[in-house]
């Protein structure tokens, strides 16, 4: 397998120190897959010195990253030769070009087969926007990079994954007042189709089990507490079931995430951002991974932001980045084996040991 390509992220945030900490955690009983950081090598060396981290830095090409990885952090210089002089906790749009170039180069190397997947460090969209960045966010930019200029980009889906729970918000960064108008049958159906396709092809799950949370309390109480669940979500579920997709809902969101309920599905879809992310960040705050579904390449990222307020202080934990690197490697290996046709690949531990006979749950059961 080619190595993973790890992007710079905002150089004033915690991304650079997380990359250093992840490399230090590369060995042990469960070694990390080889990765290289796309950045200014001199900047990375200064960051290691400032943090007092014993990390040797080696400027390399993607092809030699795996060989160098055991003894030094492989860094592939930005193709333009751009330098970075950011200080921790001091975001500045002057570094926007380097941030964007790191992402663009990483995707290019994956598309060329020189890297197996893209793992992105956190960015601050407002910093890039001040420099003229025209995309709504990180994910939309990656989708645009997936196709030649002028072609319609794919519609990516955000899944937050952990060993204990995986969730997909159907609408993402929009005001709550706008959700009912955006929440169409087609959006729900298209989102679920993308989730199922990638669960089969990349996660090795032949028959994914989905649930859909209701928008309103008690999933609308048959239209007495809002009509969206009855008129939009229920018909979308019926369409998906007619296609052979195993999905239930809409179900009351307040009883969907306890331990017994989680045993009955593989991924939970939720109409709003917070319905999906509050439970997973409560259950697996440090281990959650952001996985972008629907792209022609694999992309994962830590499920947190730039954390400018603690950057450079040695307080940031690399757990989520390490989980993102591990998951990217596993997905790349699964995709390379042509799943789900291959019967010899063991699915991710998220699905291992699940009771497949459990189709429903009683929300009144005591835990």
């Amino acid at each position: 397998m080619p190595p993973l390509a790890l992007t710079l992220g905002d150089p004033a945030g915690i991304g650079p120190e997380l990359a250093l900490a992840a490399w230090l955690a590369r060995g042990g009983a469960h070694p990390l897959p080889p990765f290289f950081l796309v950045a200014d090598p001199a900047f990375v060396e200064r960051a290691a010195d400032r943090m007092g981290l014993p990390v040797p830095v080696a400027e390399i090409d993607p092809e030699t990253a795996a060989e160098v990885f055991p003894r030094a952090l492989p860094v592939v210089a930005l193709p333009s030769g751009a330098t970075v002089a950011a200080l921790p906790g001091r975001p500045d749009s002057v570094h926007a070009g380097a941030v964007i170039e790191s992402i663009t180069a990483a995707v290019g190397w994956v598309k060329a087969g020189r890297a197996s997947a893209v793992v992105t460090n956190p960015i601050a969209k407002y910093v890039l926007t001040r420099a003229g960045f025209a995309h709504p966010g990180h994910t939309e930019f990656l989708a645009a990079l997936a196709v030649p200029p002028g072609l319609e980009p794919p519609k990516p889906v955000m899944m937050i994954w952990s060993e204990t729970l995986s969730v997909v918000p159907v609408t993402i960064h929009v005001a709550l007042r706008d959700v009912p108008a955006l929440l169409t049958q087609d959006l729900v159906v298209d989102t679920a189709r993308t989730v199922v396709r990638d669960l089969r092809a990349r996660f090795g799950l032949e028959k994914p089990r989905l649930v859909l949370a209701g928008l309103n309390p008690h999933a609308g109480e048959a239209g007495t507490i809002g009509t969206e669940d009855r008129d939009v979500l229920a018909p979308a579920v019926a369409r998906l079931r007619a296609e052979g997709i195993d999905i239930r809902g809409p179900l009351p969101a307040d009883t969907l995430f306890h331990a017994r309920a989680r045993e009955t599905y593989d991924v939970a879809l939720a109409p709003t951002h917070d319905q999906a992310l509050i439970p997973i960040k409560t259950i697996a705050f440090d281990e959650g991974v952001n996985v972008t579904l629907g792209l022609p390449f694999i992309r994962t990222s830590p499920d947190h932001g730039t954390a400018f307020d603690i950057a450079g202080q040695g307080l940031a934990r690399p757990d989520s980045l390490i989980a993102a690197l591990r998951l990217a490697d596993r997905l790349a290996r699964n995709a390379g084996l042509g799943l789900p046709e291959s019967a010899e690949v063991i699915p991710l531990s998220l699905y291992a040991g699940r009771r497949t006979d459990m189709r429903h749950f009683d929300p009144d059961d005591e835990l």
Side-chain angles (χ1 to χ4, degrees):
M1 292 290 294
L4 304 170
L6 175 62
T7 66
L8 171 65
D10 194 300
I14 60 174
E17 63 193 84
L18 294 182
L20 296 166
W23 182 83
L24 287 172
R26 69 197 180 283
H30 303 285
L32 277 180
F35 66 87
F36 61 85
L37 180 63
V38 187
D40 170 16
F43 167 75
V44 179
E45 287 184 330
R46 291 195 303 272
D49 290 342
R50 184 186 303 113
M51 298 288 298
L53 297 175
V55 180
V57 173
E59 183 176 350
I60 49 89
D61 294 322
E63 287 74 16
T64 57
E67 176 187 350
V68 170
F69 186 75
R71 63 180 184 273
L73 172 61
V75 179
V76 179
L78 297 167
S80 68
T83 59
V84 178
L87 294 175
R90 299 183 184 180
D92 193 327
S93 59
V94 72
H95 304 122
V99 174
I100 294 169
E101 186 179 4
S102 177
I103 300 168
T104 304
V107 171
W109 285 318
V110 171
K111 292 169 71 175
R114 301 175 72 186
S116 59
V118 177
V119 180
T120 58
N121 262 315
I123 63 172
K125 291 184 284 291
Y126 75 90
V127 176
L128 302 186
T129 301
R130 291 173 181 172
F133 187 69
H135 299 273
H138 213 157
T139 301
E140 291 82 1
F141 182 46
L142 289 162
L145 293 174
V147 296
L151 294 185
E152 183 72 19
K155 295 180 179 179
V157 170
M158 180 176 78
M159 180 170 77
I160 308 299
W161 175 93
S162 76
E163 295 283 358
T164 52
L165 174 66
S166 289
V167 296
V168 169
V170 179
T171 64
I172 307 178
H173 299 126
V174 296
L176 280 175
R177 64 175 176 272
D178 298 330
V179 169
L182 296 171
L183 195 65
T184 64
Q185 284 189 41
D186 287 344
L187 177 61
V188 175
V189 168
D190 290 344
T191 300
R193 286 172 178 165
T194 298
V195 172
V196 168
R197 184 168 58 247
D198 274 22
L199 287 179
R200 288 172 175 166
R202 294 178 176 172
F203 283 79
L205 192 63
E206 187 176 353
K207 296 180 179 179
R209 300 169 299 163
L210 308 184
V211 292
L212 175 64
L215 174 65
N216 297 295
H218 303 176
E221 287 276 13
T224 60
I225 312 176
T227 59
E228 293 85 0
D229 299 279
R230 181 194 65 193
D231 298 342
V232 178
L233 300 187
V237 168
R239 287 171 56 185
L240 291 164
R241 292 185 66 84
E243 296 176 9
I245 292 175
D246 185 350
I247 182 171
R248 294 179 292 120
L251 299 174
D254 61 349
T255 57
L256 200 55
F257 298 104
H258 66 76
R260 284 181 58 84
R262 296 198 304 270
E263 292 182 347
T264 68
Y265 59 81
D266 301 305
V267 176
L269 280 64
T272 72
H273 177 277
D274 284 8
Q275 278 181 314
L277 270 64
I278 286 174
I280 194 166
K281 290 195 175 186
T282 301
I283 294 170
F285 183 79
D286 291 311
E287 297 81 25
V289 178
N290 185 343
V291 187
T292 304
L293 309 179
L295 296 177
F297 52 85
I298 292 165
R299 179 263 181 142
T300 66
S301 72
D303 184 28
H304 57 66
T306 52
F308 292 126
D309 58 327
I310 62 170
Q313 300 176 37
L315 301 176
R317 293 178 53 170
D319 305 56
S320 187
L321 175 59
I322 289 172
L325 291 163
R326 292 191 191 281
L327 182 60
D329 179 65
R330 292 158 79 176
L331 297 183
R333 290 178 184 277
N334 282 357
L337 288 169
L339 291 174
E341 289 81 3
S342 173
E344 298 181 355
V345 176
I346 299 173
L348 295 181
S349 60
L350 170 65
Y351 309 114
R354 282 281 177 92
R355 286 181 55 188
T356 57
D357 62 318
M358 296 185 65
R359 311 306 299 170
H360 302 285
F361 65 92
D362 184 349
D364 295 325
D365 281 348
E366 293 184 4
L367 298 183

